[in-house]
Amino acid sequence: MRILVGEPKQERAVRTREVILRAAAAVFDECGYTGASISKIMNRSGVTQGGMYFHFKSKEALAHAVMASQQEFVQLPAGRDGLQRLIDITFHIAGELADNVLFRASVRLAVEQGELGIHDDTAYQEWAELFHTQLVAAQRDGELYEDVDVREFATVLVGAYTGTQIFSNAATHREDLPQRVAALWRYLLPALTDAQTRRGLRVQPCARAAAT
């Protein structure tokens, strides 16, 4: 890791932590938690042992941090908050699981954490909050049935989506995840909104920018 001359100490520390976190995510994705090691992460990041342990005291601490950084690893699609953006986000996440090694690692750790002795629902709660924000906007705009509990549905969607991507990963290494997400929405949307609103929604992946 190249340190910029004259870079303020606090900014350098923040940047070093980010470099370590991203290197750890890449190693966890390649090796899993058991196969990952502090030495592999140090080699990937280019950070010294002192720099590593200043920010993270153990591999478990790194795993916690990677899991809690899921949304930092993903740039969500733009759009007006509401039901269509919620749908678009779920398809975007499917694409990120295919293409974004950092995000994929954080999801892998979150799913496998029981085997690792880690119990942390931070990532799931953050996605539930994001989904809740979109549902609140949809409710405000009259897109949802009046009796929809948006807080409850946000958690239901996180659980349903998690199970869908796990099944897809086991079956096809997530190659069919977009199709499974589309099927998920075909069954969920009738519980949320009327037929007229459903006809105006796009339930398919948006075009994604080419990887750089």
Side-chain angles (χ1 to χ4, degrees):
M1 182 184 67
R2 185 170 63 90
I3 302 298
L4 300 178
V5 176
E7 183 180 22
K9 186 175 182 180
Q10 185 175 6
E11 292 181 13
R12 186 165 66 246
V14 170
R15 193 166 66 86
T16 300
R17 186 182 187 281
E18 182 179 351
V19 167
I20 295 170
L21 200 60
R22 289 179 174 274
V27 172
F28 285 135
D29 180 62
E30 293 172 10
C31 306
Y33 182 83
T34 302
S37 67
I38 291 293
S39 61
K40 288 179 181 177
I41 295 167
M42 284 171 53
N43 289 337
R44 179 67 62 92
S45 66
V47 174
T48 65
Q49 186 175 30
M52 174 70 69
Y53 285 106
F54 175 80
H55 291 280
F56 300 100
K57 304 303 182 187
S58 66
K59 184 171 73 170
E60 181 178 339
L62 270 165
H64 273 286
V66 169
M67 284 193 296
S69 298
Q70 281 192 16
Q71 292 191 28
E72 295 177 20
F73 294 149
V74 177
Q75 184 175 354
L76 295 175
R80 185 174 183 271
D81 288 346
L83 195 50
Q84 182 63 66
R85 187 163 188 243
L86 175 61
I87 294 167
D88 290 345
I89 287 171
T90 62
F91 281 110
H92 185 78
I93 293 170
E96 289 294 293
L97 283 167
D99 302 334
N100 185 333
V101 116
L102 305 178
F103 179 56
R104 191 165 60 241
S106 67
V107 169
R108 176 176 180 174
L109 288 171
V111 169
E112 297 177 353
Q113 62 176 290
E115 299 176 12
L116 315 176
I118 299 172
H119 301 281
D120 184 354
D121 69 346
T122 299
Y124 297 108
Q125 294 291 352
E126 288 182 347
W127 286 112
E129 284 300 318
L130 175 67
F131 293 168
H132 178 252
T133 297
Q134 301 307 314
L135 289 162
V136 168
Q139 192 173 59
R140 178 197 63 212
D141 292 343
E143 295 180 307
L144 307 182
Y145 290 130
E146 291 182 1
D147 62 349
V148 172
D149 183 329
V150 292
R151 177 68 66 183
E152 182 179 53
F153 184 79
T155 61
V156 168
L157 180 56
V158 171
Y161 195 97
T162 299
T164 297
Q165 72 88 7
I166 290 172
F167 193 174
S168 176
N169 188 38
T172 67
H173 298 288
R174 300 194 183 95
E175 289 183 6
D176 68 349
L177 184 53
Q179 290 74 34
R180 289 176 185 262
V181 173
L184 185 67
W185 280 116
R186 283 199 300 273
Y187 289 96
L188 290 179
L189 281 174
L192 287 179
T193 190
D194 58 37
Q196 182 177 349
T197 301
R198 294 199 301 273
R199 284 194 292 271
L201 296 171
R202 181 184 62 257
V203 186
Q204 61 187 19
C206 298
R208 288 168 58 81
T212 56

